[in-house]
């Protein structure tokens, strides 16, 4: 079964715009992580947010976590063509399970 | 951050042969390692959870006799694809958890298996 489920499945924006992706999960967690995956490449860890945190920043990334709604969002500000990739959230419930991912396309 | 390596990064084999993929945690002890596979344009799929010193737990639909997992030490897990067939061609990714560091997961770079 999948623990994290990203929304939308696909997102296409222009360079410079902001991109927001959402993730929902089902059970209690210790932390939630966001990853990116370029086509044919391994996953790259972006950011981890713990269950007692509500918001976290890393460069152009902003992650929020709402444990009452069991949801998280990833905001990429001032997007670049190089941000084109698939983005996954994963939760920790004794193991890590991924959703289907959001495929982000940033057009130059 | 912690590093997980996989070997080989790419392998091409003939149908019917067996292929072993190694996953190593280089600077930490991984009590738990996971194996994923990813078909083109599809999401990662968890295949099995491997705990050091015990039998792997396979996800539903994954044949344990087909995909042999061994986690003999805290730094090494191996996935052996036995009697590989073209439909086994996929991208295989391992990951490892270092429990003392708050369950953060570290991924290997992946192994691309092509079965001719």
């Amino acid at each position: 079964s999948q623990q994290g489920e990203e929304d939308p499945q696909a997102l296409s924006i222009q360079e410079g715009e902001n991109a927001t992706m959402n993730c929902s999960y089902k059970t209690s967690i210790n932390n939630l992580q966001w990853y990116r995956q370029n086509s044919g490449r391994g996953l790259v860890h972006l950011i981890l947010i713990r269950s007692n945190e509500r918001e976290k920043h890393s460069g152009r990334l902003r992650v929020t976590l709402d444990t009452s709604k069991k949801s998280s969002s990833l905001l990429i500000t001032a997007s670049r063509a190089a941000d084109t990739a698939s983005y996954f959230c994963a939760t920790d419930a004794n193991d890590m399970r991924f959703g289907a991912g959001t495929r982000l396309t940033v057009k130059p | 951050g912690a590093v997980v390596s996989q070997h080989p990064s790419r392998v091409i084999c003939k149908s019917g042969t067996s292929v072993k993929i190694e996953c190593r945690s280089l600077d930490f002890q991984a009590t738990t390692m996971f194996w994923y596979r990813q078909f083109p344009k599809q999401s990662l799929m968890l295949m099995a959870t491997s705990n050091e010193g015990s039998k792997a737990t396979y996800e539903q639909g994954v044949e344990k006799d087909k995909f042999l997992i061994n986690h003999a030490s805290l730094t090494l897990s191996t996935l052996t694809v036995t009697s590989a067939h073209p439909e086994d061609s996929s991208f295989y990714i391992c990951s490892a958890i270092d429990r003392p560091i708050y369950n953060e997961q570290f991924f290997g770079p992946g192994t691309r298996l092509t079965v001719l």
Side-chain angles (χ1 to χ4, degrees):
Chain A
S1 62
Q2 291 182 334
Q3 179 73 300
E5 295 185 359
E6 296 85 355
D7 167 62
Q9 290 188 339
L11 181 61
S12 181
I13 59 175
Q14 293 294 136
E15 205 165 30
E17 295 179 339
N18 296 340
T20 300
M21 289 161 272
N22 303 298
C23 165
S24 61
Y25 58 93
K26 297 176 181 176
T27 64
S28 297
I29 62 170
N30 293 314
N31 63 64
L32 183 143
Q33 302 180 21
W34 283 91
Y35 297 81
R36 68 174 279 165
Q37 184 187 29
N38 289 85
S39 181
R41 304 289 293 276
L43 288 167
V44 173
H45 175 251
L46 294 177
I47 196 166
L48 178 151
I49 185 166
R50 297 190 171 91
S51 58
N52 61 352
E53 298 176 309
R54 292 296 169 259
E55 188 170 310
K56 200 163 183 179
H57 297 253
S58 177
R60 293 183 296 111
L61 305 180
R62 184 176 79 116
V63 168
T64 62
L65 179 65
D66 187 335
T67 53
S68 66
K69 295 180 180 179
K70 290 186 168 58
S71 66
S72 173
S73 67
L74 170 67
L75 168 67
I76 303 175
T77 59
S79 64
R80 305 166 182 168
D83 294 329
T84 295
S86 288
Y87 291 83
F88 295 86
C89 70
T91 63
D92 170 38
N94 296 319
D95 60 23
M96 302 292 279
R97 299 178 187 271
F98 285 90
T102 293
R103 178 164 295 281
L104 173 66
T105 302
V106 182
K107 300 174 184 177
Chain B
V3 176
V4 173
S5 69
Q6 273 184 248
H7 177 79
S9 58
R10 187 179 296 268
V11 57
I12 301 172
C13 68
K14 292 182 179 180
S15 185
T17 60
S18 294
V19 176
K20 180 185 284 189
I21 302 170
E22 293 185 348
C23 176
R24 293 182 184 272
S25 58
L26 298 185
D27 52 3
F28 67 99
Q29 293 185 329
T31 54
T32 303
M33 288 185 171
F34 304 98
W35 286 96
Y36 298 85
R37 67 185 299 185
Q38 184 184 34
F39 293 106
K41 298 183 180 180
Q42 296 189 30
S43 63
L44 285 169
M45 181 190 77
L46 177 65
M47 298 176 66
T49 300
S50 170
N51 291 300
E52 185 266 338
S54 62
K55 290 184 178 180
T57 302
Y58 290 82
E59 295 297 297
Q60 191 173 6
V62 178
E63 300 175 60
K64 62 181 181 181
D65 295 329
K66 173 76 172 176
F67 299 99
L68 300 178
I69 292 172
N70 183 284
H71 193 163
S73 77
L74 286 171
T75 59
L76 173 65
S77 176
T78 60
L79 168 68
T80 301
V81 183
T82 62
S83 187
H85 288 92
E87 57 266 29
D88 297 324
S89 297
S90 186
F91 194 53
Y92 293 87
I93 301 173
C94 74
S95 68
I97 281 184
D98 179 357
R99 292 280 174 183
I101 306 182
Y102 214 65
N103 293 331
E104 188 166 2
Q105 186 170 191
F106 303 98
F107 286 85
T111 296
R112 183 161 299 283
L113 170 64
T114 302
V115 185
L116 302 176

